[in-house]
Amino acid sequence: MDCCVIPLRHGGLSLVQTTDFFYPLVEDPYMMGRIACANVLSDLYAMGITECDNMLMLLSVSQKMNDKDRERVMPLMIRGFRDAAEEGGTSVTGGQTVINPWIIVGGVGSVVCQPNEFIMPDGAVPGDVLVLTKPLGTQVAVNAHQWLDQPERWNKIKLVVTKEEVKEAYQEAMFSMATLNRTAAGLMHKFQAHAATDVTGFGLLGHANNLAAQQRNEVAFVIHNLPILAKMAAVSKACGNLFNLVQGTSAETSGGLLVCLPREQAAKFCSEMKSQSSGPGGQGAAGGAWIIGIVEKGDRRARIIDKPRIIEVPPRGSQAANQDNSSTSPSPSPNLL
């Protein structure tokens, strides 16, 4: 599971706890702090938990940084982490800082809750619909942005994407990774979600397989649609499928929730995610969730069909995003609903 659930000796209560950390992947230290915090909280949100009682921050300061850089970068990273925690209705009460060859940032999230406050990720049934709440392609966008200054790498992708499009995808990826999955966690209860996980380092297919393997019923997940940051599928293909993005194994950081919902609730979930995600801090430019597949009877595995439909997710604020947001309903494939 994404969290450990520990029954307490006090009747009816459980301690739900998670930890995560990683290396910086964006250039803005404040945003990196926000992303790290969002990534930790996502494990709680994947179980439908919307409240976190306490957070600790784990921070490793690089011994290669001089004093001036350290004093500029580290406070920004800490502030970003704290601001995201505050947005999630919790606070950072402590942690640990060490000197290390590399910068590492992460934390611990803890909450004491009653059984009705979390959703065990094992209740999917045949006929359920799979919904994803953030677009894929963050790893590709971050790498493509780094390649702007590497002519040998850039030459491989410049025929399928412009420098401006790469910069927009990078910004969209950064804001997406820094967005909390808290709204989705709350809607999991409202629309009777049967199971969920967050999509991170193993990619969509890796996490879908992990979730399928945990189900009580003999089910399989079949993925038909892939919402991907605009142009990133083409970039992945142009560099020889280095990332295996369309194959579902490209790593994501602080990705969306993959949720199993009753068929009759999926479109309503997507619609409400979209309406709650259209503000200034909105989650994703072209809406807050996408129907990507179905649950059928099977062998507790997940697969992506041979030719999945690629849904290009435009950057927020773009003309394409504004046109998409003028519609209030999600647009799943006809064969999914």
Side-chain angles (χ1 to χ4, degrees):
M1 294 193 301
D2 292 301
C3 306
C4 60
V5 180
I6 306 164
L8 299 178
R9 60 183 181 274
H10 309 289
L13 296 176
S14 294
L15 171 65
V16 183
Q17 200 165 47
T18 184
T19 184
D20 210 339
F21 61 87
F22 47 71
Y23 306 106
L25 70 161
V26 299
E27 297 170 350
D28 184 328
Y30 174 81
M31 290 300 291
M32 192 61 241
R34 289 194 72 105
I35 291 167
C37 184
N39 193 61
V40 173
L41 288 171
S42 269
D43 288 336
L44 297 177
Y45 297 148
M47 295 193 67
I49 294 170
T50 58
E51 305 298 329
C52 178
D53 289 333
N54 182 59
M55 294 196 77
L56 304 176
M57 185 176 185
L58 306 174
L59 186 62
S60 162
V61 182
S62 174
Q63 61 194 20
K64 298 176 183 177
M65 298 177 76
N66 60 44
D67 290 345
K68 182 179 179 182
D69 287 344
R70 189 180 300 169
E71 289 168 7
R72 288 176 62 196
V73 170
M74 292 305 155
L76 286 170
M77 205 172 284
I78 292 169
R79 182 155 63 89
F81 193 96
R82 284 180 170 166
D83 284 355
E86 185 175 329
E87 183 184 325
T90 186
S91 59
V92 183
T93 61
Q96 178 77 344
T97 304
V98 297
I99 302 292
N100 197 55
W102 311 279
I103 296 175
I104 299 174
V105 59
V108 179
S110 306
V111 58
V112 175
C113 53
Q114 297 174 328
N116 65 342
E117 294 180 85
F118 58 87
I119 298 171
M120 294 299 287
D122 59 2
V125 298
D128 279 355
V129 172
L130 300 174
V131 169
L132 183 65
T133 67
K134 287 185 185 180
L136 306 167
T138 55
Q139 182 191 44
V140 181
V142 167
N143 278 272
H145 188 257
Q146 293 172 352
W147 294 349
L148 292 174
D149 300 322
Q150 301 174 28
E152 185 178 334
R153 298 270 194 172
W154 173 248
N155 288 338
K156 291 183 178 180
I157 64 172
K158 68 180 182 181
L159 295 179
V160 300
V161 68
T162 67
K163 290 187 175 182
E164 188 60 34
E165 286 169 337
V166 167
K167 291 175 182 177
E168 288 179 345
Y170 171 76
Q171 289 293 322
E172 184 59 39
M174 185 165 60
F175 284 117
S176 177
M177 291 186 288
T179 299
L180 302 183
N181 283 317
R182 193 181 188 192
T183 298
L187 294 179
M188 283 171 59
H189 290 273
K190 181 174 181 179
F191 296 106
Q192 293 92 48
H194 290 151
T197 188
D198 63 329
V199 178
T200 50
F202 295 121
L204 174 63
L205 186 60
H207 288 284
N209 263 314
N210 288 344
L211 186 62
Q214 299 304 315
Q215 300 311 302
R216 298 192 307 267
N217 297 309
E218 294 182 352
V219 295
F221 297 168
V222 183
I223 297 168
H224 297 80
N225 300 328
L226 297 175
I228 296 176
L229 294 169
K231 298 290 185 177
M232 292 305 103
V235 169
S236 179
K237 185 177 180 180
C239 54
N241 285 322
L242 175 65
F243 305 99
N244 288 320
L245 177 59
V246 175
Q247 291 73 27
T249 56
S250 179
E252 304 292 334
T253 299
S254 188
L257 300 188
L258 174 63
V259 188
C260 301
L261 287 157
R263 179 173 176 164
E264 65 275 11
Q265 301 285 15
K268 298 174 190 175
F269 178 96
C270 291
S271 181
E272 190 146 342
M273 278 292 296
K274 188 166 189 170
S275 66
Q276 294 195 33
S277 303
S278 58
Q283 178 176 294
W290 296 265
I291 291 172
I292 66 164
I294 58 174
V295 178
E296 61 184 26
K297 189 170 177 59
D299 57 357
R300 296 189 177 91
R301 294 183 185 179
R303 67 180 178 89
I304 298 174
I305 63 171
D306 289 340
K307 294 182 179 179
R309 181 168 73 112
I310 306 300
I311 303 170
E312 295 271 331
V313 181
R316 66 194 69 204
S318 68
Q319 185 176 358
N322 292 335
Q323 287 174 348
D324 189 82
N325 279 329
S326 66
S327 170
T328 57
S329 62
S331 54
S333 291
N335 62 323
L336 295 187
L337 290 180

